[in-house]
Amino acid sequence: MADALEPEQLETYFALMESVSMLHHAVEQQVREAGQLSYVQFQLLARLATAPTRQLTMTELADGVVYSRSGLTHQAGLLEKAGLIAREPSPDDQRATLVAITEAGLTRVSAILPGHIDVVQGQLFSPLSKQDQVALGELMTKVRDHMREQPPRSVSTRKRGS
Amino acid sequence: MADALEPEQLETYFALMESVSMLHHAVEQQVREAGQLSYVQFQLLARLATAPTRQLTMTELADGVVYSRSGLTHQAGLLEKAGLIAREPSPDDQRATLVAITEAGLTRVSAILPGHIDVVQGQLFSPLSKQDQVALGELMTKVRDHMREQPPRSVSTRKRGS
DNA sequence: TATTGTTATACTCTATAACTATA
DNA sequence: TATAGTTATAGAGTATAACAATA
């Protein structure tokens, strides 16, 4: 409502989307070549690998990565079949499923990470000064936090109208 | 090679990817609801609408939006079937196809744009100060320009190894 | 020989709706 | 009644390779 975008903002928006699209394409390729995984699968594994207890519920795991429950179930099925994660019922809540990364999963992430970091360094950070990099971090943290507050209206699919 | 990512850079990278993923999801929905198009289709139309002569060759149109020739052919086929673009052989180069946006295409873009701008404003820019917005534009322009210089190794698929 | 674009095909991803089971 | 997760299925997107035509 109200507030149009300045032409300058439109250019910023386009530059952001194009940059990230290209970056996404580059890292997707790297992840596939180095680890035979899609980027989504890599994100899920990376999230598990960095989780405090190295296990999350399906819902926690989905958050911010996947936008439908069935999508996550599908990806988790593939990862489990590949032996990279393990699922077991949660003791706390019988409805929930706990997902844990396996040793093989950790190994896979380790195989991907160095090359991944090279790509991100080369594509995203190399044209930026140290100052720029810090600034970008601050900006995107603000944006991400703001977006997280917005009703994602997807994973927590609580249909109203339809 | 060399140069690892600082943990701070890793966070920046993640914040960027998550933000844009959510933004992409939001605009994708908006474009579909307001204009019955995918985001890629909207990008193609928008690119044509803002092109100086309102027509581009397939290769020019693909640039930065689509990463395979056949993908563009497919999308162009859909857009043409919907009457939003028109294709004709180029007079300059008999191999090339000129793609032009139709009146219906322009109308469709117009139908999408206001709501689109609202979403971008609300999701991306609203948490940022005017200063922040300018800074983001400068940063992403640098990044985009740098990435454009990198061999995209995709559209201009000049296979070497395989 | 290199480039533009299309075709055919196959694969992956994603989303919707219906369903089960537990809170 | 609401939530966690799965299943089945259908649709859309994308990429590879083989191809035709022009430069």
Side-chain angles (χ1 to χ4, degrees):
Chain A
M1 324 68 171
D3 278 325
L5 281 185
E6 308 292 327
E8 198 179 50
Q9 291 181 317
L10 207 54
E11 276 200 53
T12 298
Y13 164 55
F14 288 151
L16 176 68
M17 296 305 266
E18 185 178 343
S19 298
V20 173
S21 170
M22 289 190 282
L23 178 58
H24 189 277
H25 192 252
V27 293
E28 175 98 42
Q29 253 185 232
Q30 189 275 325
V31 168
R32 196 167 298 281
E33 283 168 17
Q36 294 76 53
L37 295 176
S38 70
Y39 189 58
V40 166
Q41 290 164 354
F42 169 68
Q43 284 181 98
L44 295 173
L45 282 190
R47 204 169 254 245
L48 285 169
T50 60
T53 65
R54 279 185 177 163
Q55 59 177 20
L56 297 169
T57 66
M58 292 289 281
T59 298
E60 289 166 344
L61 185 54
D63 191 50
V65 177
V66 158
Y67 298 95
S68 75
R69 297 173 172 287
S70 62
L72 178 58
T73 297
H74 179 237
Q75 292 301 334
L78 295 177
L79 290 172
E80 190 170 47
K81 195 180 303 178
L84 305 175
I85 65 169
R87 280 185 287 189
E88 59 177 275
S90 164
D92 303 331
D93 184 337
Q94 290 291 102
R95 295 170 301 179
T97 297
L98 281 179
V99 184
I101 189 166
T102 63
E103 278 304 314
L106 289 170
T107 303
R108 190 70 67 93
V109 171
S110 303
I112 294 170
L113 223 42
H116 198 80
I117 283 170
D118 285 347
V119 171
V120 174
Q121 178 69 49
Q123 300 281 113
L124 177 64
F125 289 117
S126 74
L128 301 178
S129 70
K130 198 72 199 158
Q131 268 197 336
D132 284 347
Q133 296 177 13
V134 172
L136 182 63
E138 287 171 359
L139 291 173
M140 296 321 295
T141 300
K142 278 188 203 173
V143 172
R144 182 196 55 195
D145 292 348
H146 170 255
M147 285 185 178
R148 279 185 175 167
E149 284 168 21
Q150 304 285 101
R153 101 243 261 186
S154 45
V155 167
S156 25
T157 310
R158 37 173 148 259
K159 299 280 168 50
R160 297 277 164 164
S162 68
Chain B
M1 318 54 180
D3 277 327
L5 280 185
E6 308 292 328
E8 199 179 51
Q9 291 181 317
L10 207 54
E11 277 202 53
T12 298
Y13 164 55
F14 288 152
L16 176 67
M17 295 305 267
E18 184 177 341
S19 298
V20 172
S21 170
M22 289 189 282
L23 178 58
H24 189 277
H25 192 251
V27 293
E28 175 99 42
Q29 253 184 233
Q30 189 274 326
V31 167
R32 197 168 298 281
E33 283 169 16
Q36 293 76 53
L37 295 176
S38 71
Y39 189 57
V40 167
Q41 290 162 355
F42 169 68
Q43 284 182 96
L44 294 174
L45 282 190
R47 203 168 255 245
L48 285 169
T50 59
T53 66
R54 276 182 179 163
Q55 60 178 19
L56 296 169
T57 66
M58 293 289 281
T59 297
E60 288 166 346
L61 185 54
D63 191 49
V65 177
V66 158
Y67 299 95
S68 75
R69 296 173 172 287
S70 61
L72 177 58
T73 296
H74 180 236
Q75 292 301 334
L78 296 176
L79 290 173
E80 189 171 49
K81 196 180 300 176
L84 304 176
I85 64 170
R87 279 184 287 189
E88 58 177 276
S90 163
D92 302 331
D93 184 336
Q94 288 293 100
R95 295 171 302 181
T97 298
L98 281 180
V99 184
I101 189 167
T102 63
E103 278 305 313
L106 288 170
T107 304
R108 190 70 68 92
V109 170
S110 302
I112 294 170
L113 225 42
H116 198 79
I117 283 170
D118 285 347
V119 171
V120 174
Q121 178 69 49
Q123 299 283 114
L124 177 63
F125 289 116
S126 75
L128 301 178
S129 69
K130 197 71 198 159
Q131 269 196 334
D132 284 347
Q133 296 178 12
V134 172
L136 182 62
E138 287 169 0
L139 292 173
M140 296 320 295
T141 300
K142 279 188 203 174
V143 172
R144 183 196 53 194
D145 292 348
H146 171 255
M147 286 185 178
R148 279 184 176 169
E149 283 167 22
Q150 304 286 100
R153 100 243 259 186
S154 45
V155 167
S156 25
T157 312
R158 38 171 149 260
K159 299 281 168 50
R160 298 276 164 162
S162 69

